[in-house]
Amino acid sequence: MALSGLGNNDFRILKKLSHRAQGRTYMAELLSTKDLFVMKKEEYLSDEDKARVQLQIEQMKRLTSKFTVRLVCSFQFDVDMCIVMELCENDLRKTIAQLQMLPEPERVTRVWAIVSQVIRSLDHLHTNNVVHQKIKPENIFVNADGSIRFGNFVGAQPLNEKDCLSLGSTMVYMAPEVWLMKRCDSFSNIFSCGVIAAELLTGKHPFYANNELAIVERIKKGSFDKLPAFVPYDLKELIESMIDADYSKRPTTRQIMIQSTIDTYLRIQLEKEKDFEVSQNRAKVQSKPQSSSIRVVSVPTVDEQVYQSYPAQPDPQYLQAVQQQHAYQQNQIPNQNQISTISSVPVLETVPSNPQSSSKKVYYIKKAKPKQNSEILKPAIKIQEEELEIYPVDSPVLADVHIHGNIYTHTQENENKCTILFNPAVNKGIVKLVIRNLHSIKAVGIVDEPFLFNQNEEPSTCIVVDNAGL
């Protein structure tokens, strides 16, 4: 139903979620549907209050996207403006606690993914000239597809000491310049997200002290606890740059998003979101009654908004491959049993190897036959392509490896070295294989005949790669 024209009598307050000097927040039930929402009651008496509240409402409307909590409706009741929003319960405060129960390598992997999505969503705000003044774990939510959205955001405005102290638990996430210079800008938001990233890893505030005022004093001095040894150097370097006391030394959202590991996780998330969209569309189709003369087909779409929020232009070859995939899918209706990529650029993607089993994955490499020299400058020539299914060879080393999609991670339960082989052997054409090294890889090789390796065995001849170059 369209949630418009609603008033106070359409809702029932269930419980109070928070209380501030300028308003209260409740969990409310829409009586007609029993759906639950968040209702903020903001003071709406003075001209200053009205301007502040209207700015918040207009910003929520303008920033409507998957990166922000959705505004449902707003209405005035007595001396309050009631702002009704969707209820998001999976916030980062809960995630921080859950991550501490994971093994350290898995925790690091999860933190990379979460930080990449937090920065992606923050970039959406900054791109629209909005500075979030209340960044803390309780105001950042995880969506079902793994993306992140911000809630409870307001526009930038001058701050004084009283304002800062009135923000309660938010104050321990505020940057030094907020306290020392009474300014809050996009770099202040980077600081807040850096503090949260450290908490995700350790479960502890990096400026921890016995009370909030003592934490603020440490923040002013830039005195933070060093991250533990299990945190990879590149992640440690990123977080420490984000919480640098000198705001001019902090990176922007765009600079963070082109960091190699962050970029990798952004691309992985795009694939997850496309898969999630496909499954959601398929579920909708299956739930609708279908006419005997009309067949409804679910077609995966490219989320253009996602690419607009990217740090700069994405890899042209990657974007070209995605766009051509979309065009190919449109031409294949209603034959949509599998998703395949048609591109003049060899790319790697994952699809279910068995339509009845979604737990198994296979990998496709698109092979393009080489062009003749005379054809190189003729972009209109179509390249003949073929699909090659590749998959890890079943061997004892896989007992020491976690496989998640196209990510291979050592279990860390021992110090065994693992040599992973893939089938089938590539013996013709040109194949482009891109490997993004997240933690550690020793070498890459190509074999021309099948064989196996056990734990701690490796080929005598291989191509040693520089980790920094992956």
Side-chain angles (χ1 to χ4, degrees), residues 23-61:
R24 297 89 60 208
T25 304
Y26 302 92
M27 180 186 292
E29 179 186 66
L30 181 61
L31 296 175
S32 60
T33 64
K34 305 300 181 184
D35 291 330
L36 300 180
F37 298 93
V38 171
M39 179 184 290
K40 291 177 62 177
K41 291 193 173 185
E42 299 278 354
E43 286 188 5
Y44 204 68
L45 278 174
S46 67
D47 291 341
E48 181 182 355
D49 287 337
K50 291 180 180 179
R52 172 181 55 81
V53 174
Q54 285 301 324
L55 174 62
Q56 183 176 352
I57 294 173
E58 290 305 315
Q59 282 183 343
M60 292 190 72
K61 291 179 179 178

Side-chain angles (χ1 to χ4, degrees), residues 18-20 93 132-139 151-154 159 163-176 178-179 184 188-189 191-193 195-196 199 205 212 215-216 219:
S18 64
H19 181 88
R20 298 177 292 106
R93 178 60 67 196
H132 200 308
Q133 289 187 355
K134 298 181 180 180
I135 292 182
K136 59 181 177 179
E138 291 82 357
N139 287 336
N152 200 21
F153 51 87
V154 294
L159 295 175
D163 291 331
C164 296
L165 292 173
S166 69
L167 292 176
S169 59
T170 309
M171 61 192 289
V172 299
Y173 295 94
M174 289 182 169
V178 177
W179 297 101
C184 181
S188 309
N189 285 178
F191 178 90
S192 303
C193 291
V195 172
I196 294 172
E199 279 193 287
H205 197 290
E212 290 181 342
I215 293 176
V216 170
I219 289 175

Side-chain angles (χ1 to χ4, degrees), residues 186-348:
S186 59
F187 291 106
S188 309
N189 285 178
I190 295 294
F191 178 90
S192 303
C193 291
V195 172
I196 294 172
E199 279 193 287
L200 288 165
L201 284 166
T202 66
K204 180 182 176 183
H205 197 290
F207 296 88
Y208 178 77
N210 292 330
N211 56 67
E212 290 181 342
L213 291 179
I215 293 176
V216 170
E217 288 304 312
R218 289 193 67 186
I219 289 175
K220 290 179 181 179
K221 297 174 182 177
S223 174
F224 57 83
D225 299 328
K226 297 298 182 182
L227 292 169
F230 72 81
V231 180
Y233 174 78
D234 50 352
L235 181 55
K236 184 180 300 185
E237 183 180 46
L238 173 62
I239 293 175
E240 290 182 353
S241 70
M242 293 171 69
I243 60 177
D244 196 300
D246 184 351
Y247 67 88
S248 66
K249 295 181 180 179
R250 296 176 207 147
T252 64
T253 54
R254 299 298 176 93
Q255 289 171 331
I256 295 174
M257 291 170 74
I258 60 175
Q259 195 268 357
S260 59
T261 308
I262 293 291
D263 176 71
T264 296
Y265 278 99
L266 286 171
R267 295 182 187 279
I268 291 173
Q269 178 62 28
L270 291 181
E271 292 299 321
K272 285 177 60 179
E273 290 174 11
K274 287 195 295 182
D275 291 343
F276 185 81
E277 182 181 2
V278 170
S279 64
Q280 292 289 94
N281 290 341
R282 185 178 295 115
K284 290 179 182 178
V285 170
Q286 292 174 349
S287 65
K288 292 180 180 179
Q290 297 187 18
S291 167
S292 59
S293 59
I294 299 177
R295 183 183 176 190
V296 181
V297 179
S298 169
V299 182
T301 60
V302 178
D303 186 352
E304 295 295 340
Q305 183 180 16
V306 168
Y307 295 104
Q308 292 172 6
S309 70
Y310 236 64
Q313 287 297 325
D315 184 334
Q317 294 181 340
Y318 177 83
L319 186 55
Q320 178 190 6
V322 173
Q323 291 171 340
Q324 292 183 352
Q325 172 189 359
H326 181 56
Y328 173 75
Q329 291 169 345
Q330 293 283 6
N331 293 332
Q332 291 297 308
I333 298 175
N335 225 344
Q336 288 288 320
N337 293 329
Q338 285 190 333
I339 303 173
S340 59
T341 302
I342 301 298
S343 169
S344 61
V345 181
V347 296
L348 182 66

